[in-house]
Amino acid sequence: MYQTFDIRKGLKIEMDGAPWVVTDFQFVKPGKGQAFTRTKLKNLITGNVLERTFKTGETLEPAQVEEHDMQYLYSDGEAFHVMNTETYDQLAIPANVVGDQSNWLVEEMVVKVLFYKGLPVSLELPNFVELEITYTEPGMKGNTAQGATKQATLSTGATVNVPLFIEQGEWVKVDTRTGEYVERVRR
Amino acid sequence: MIDPHGLRARARVLAAVRRWFEDHGYLEVLTPTLVPSPAMEEHLFPVAAADGYLRTSPEFALKRVVAAGLHRVYEIGSCFRDRERGGWHGREFTMVEWYRAGADLGDLMDETEQIVAAAAEALGRPAPTWRRTTVRDLFLEVVGVDLAEASASDLSPVDEGWDDAFFRRWVEDVEPRLEGAVFVEDWPASQSALARVRPGPWPVARRFEAFLDGVELCNAFLELTDPVEQRRRFAMANAARAQAGEHPHPTDEALIEAVGRMPTTAGNALGLDRLVAALEGWPGIAPGRVEHPAWARED
């Protein structure tokens, strides 16, 4: 059991039958009243966010979660197969758990897989990934307009907006949290 | 982390506040920080020191000064409240506290407005425009509940006492929506501490709090001057403390005796660290304080 003074960013708790992570917290105490801790919580399965206030003296249950580093091997269309980098155990993660993150998954990438009550429920990717552009319109020579972009298709099938000077066959760095182009990389 | 800009801002406010009190006939008094009897309120936790406590406010000492015939007094100094740590709370903080015999709560609101304006001016910022309301009106406005009729279960989904339920709604819904500068008057009588109570169908404590953009700045009382009632309140607070598994606090007999000799008086206790931080728009009190990094907090 956690007490309210254990509340920190990143603390994982069990509440209403789901695991939650504390994303923000604030100690509040009205002059004449009880102390409370205001929290912002993110559901580790659905990503839903809510605010919850805990009164000092209330206890919080630790979430039954574990996190393991897993290497991505391949996809068979229905599941994404990964391997535990410590035990070499292999596991198939259903496509619906991976969701849109499949846009940034490349073979051999090591991801953090969150298990809730023994089942994989979410993935945490590295913040940045380097991917090859498989298709984009040719850049227009001489167009140096600041901030102008075009669409490009990546080797994973995802599309990303890139500056006009980027050519097909080049590699780019993408932020997996926002899906945005960061910079061109030389390979 | 030491913030030179923050410390300069704080020094300007401190000087402006002192000047305001001097200009308005208040005598500065420095009372002891180490006291034999701490505040009695159920939700205040004093720091034990030597054979006494560090004060949670200079209230008891200043009331003895008022009872002795000094009718306009103020003090600026450190106070200590254990178990209070966060962006807007320090276990040690700076209190500005003043008492004025013959004044009522309206006078103290006027004075609070002037002091905040003087502090704002010292920082080169505009003085806020104040709104005055009551706790009951705020709950009607924001929560849609009439406190005069609401039970604890109307206020909170958790099974808890009326005051805890009230404060849960306050903390979750009301306080975050207090924009600008607001005086909030007429608090539930169960939270009267050392204030007089106005009887009626819904009795209320004769006290107000001031908020600047949701930050609680001060707490003012029309002071209780009935020693019998004062003793009864202290006994109730000790009973509540015992029920919560805490030690009872020794009663300040000198204070109870002084309360009986005190003229009608209004007093206000204002957090200086918060005043500077709220006017400067800081995310908490830290920039105006010299905290040891070993005790830094992340919220």
Side-chain angles (χ1 to χ4, degrees), chain A residues 45 63 94 96 115 117 160:
Chain A
I45 298 174
N96 65 334
F115 293 82
K117 297 183 176 170
V160 64

Side-chain angles (χ1 to χ4, degrees), chain B residues 60-285:
Chain B
F60 292 1
L62 287 176
K63 283 182 171 173
R64 282 165 40 228
V65 175
V66 174
L70 291 173
H71 286 172
R72 284 188 184 219
V73 291
Y74 80 103
E75 177 160 8
I76 302 176
S78 269
C79 293
F80 302 82
R81 296 182 179 183
D82 205 1
R83 307 190 201 178
E84 298 194 19
R85 294 179 80 181
W88 290 96
H89 294 260
R91 289 183 296 184
E92 176 172 359
F93 61 100
T94 307
M95 189 82 100
V96 178
E97 190 152 328
W98 71 99
Y99 290 87
R100 181 175 147 195
D104 61 24
L105 290 178
D107 296 327
L108 281 205
M109 285 190 212
D110 294 344
E111 291 189 340
T112 305
E113 285 191 17
Q114 291 172 26
I115 289 166
V116 173
E121 196 193 341
L123 294 170
R125 295 184 183 273
T129 306
W130 291 85
R131 167 166 90 98
R132 298 183 182 190
T133 185
T134 65
V135 175
R136 192 176 172 187
D137 284 348
L138 266 183
F139 267 75
L140 279 170
E141 195 180 304
V142 179
V143 191
V145 164
D146 184 357
L147 286 178
E149 287 159 10
S151 65
S153 59
D154 294 332
L155 291 168
S156 170
V158 180
D159 181 19
E160 56 193 347
W162 195 92
D163 285 297
D164 285 356
F166 166 87
F167 278 116
R168 190 181 291 275
R169 279 280 74 68
W170 176 266
V171 160
E172 287 186 359
D173 298 324
V174 183
E175 196 178 62
R177 287 174 186 78
L178 281 178
E179 284 172 10
V182 192
F183 288 109
V184 185
E185 224 184 327
D186 292 348
W187 291 76
S190 51
Q191 302 152 20
S192 53
L194 283 81
R196 290 190 195 177
V197 168
R198 182 169 57 226
W202 193 56
V204 290
R206 302 296 314 282
R207 66 180 187 88
F208 71 78
E209 294 183 7
F211 294 84
L212 205 50
D213 297 322
V215 176
E216 182 188 323
L217 278 189
C218 70
N219 175 66
F221 293 158
L222 184 61
E223 303 294 347
L224 194 59
T225 49
D226 175 350
V228 176
E229 171 65 8
Q230 186 64 80
R231 187 181 295 283
R232 191 185 71 84
R233 297 234 189 126
F234 282 171
M236 279 169 56
N238 262 342
R241 191 170 290 109
Q243 200 164 21
E246 306 283 347
H247 292 295
H249 291 161
T251 299
D252 189 334
E253 292 297 338
L255 180 267
I256 290 188
E257 188 269 331
V259 158
R261 285 187 292 117
M262 204 166 61
T264 295
T265 298
N268 196 3
L270 181 149
L272 182 89
D273 312 287
R274 288 187 182 179
L275 174 62
V276 182
L279 285 171
E280 287 285 84
W282 294 337
I285 58 175

Side-chain angles (χ1 to χ4, degrees), chain A residues 8-9 25-34 36 38 52-55 58, chain B residues 41 43 83-85 88-89 160 164 167-168 171-172 175 207 216 219 298-299:
Chain A
R8 294 284 181 278
K9 284 181 195 173
F25 72 104
Q26 188 189 25
F27 175 87
V28 281
K29 185 193 173 299
K32 302 298 167 203
Q34 261 277 11
F36 295 87
R38 258 185 214 140
R52 188 63 76 93
T53 303
F54 298 96
K55 187 166 70 178
E58 285 177 349
Chain B
E41 288 165 42
H43 299 300
R83 307 190 201 178
E84 298 194 19
R85 294 179 80 181
W88 290 96
H89 294 260
E160 56 193 347
D164 285 356
F167 278 116
R168 190 181 291 275
V171 160
E172 287 186 359
E175 196 178 62
R207 66 180 187 88
E216 182 188 323
N219 175 66
E298 58 177 293
D299 66 331

Side-chain angles (χ1 to χ4, degrees), chain A residues 6 14 17 43 64 89 91 97 106 111 115 153 155 161 185:
Chain A
D6 295 319
E14 177 88 22
N43 186 308
Q64 296 173 37
D89 287 341
L91 175 81
V97 170
V106 288
V111 299
F115 293 82
T153 307
S155 52
N161 285 321
V185 288

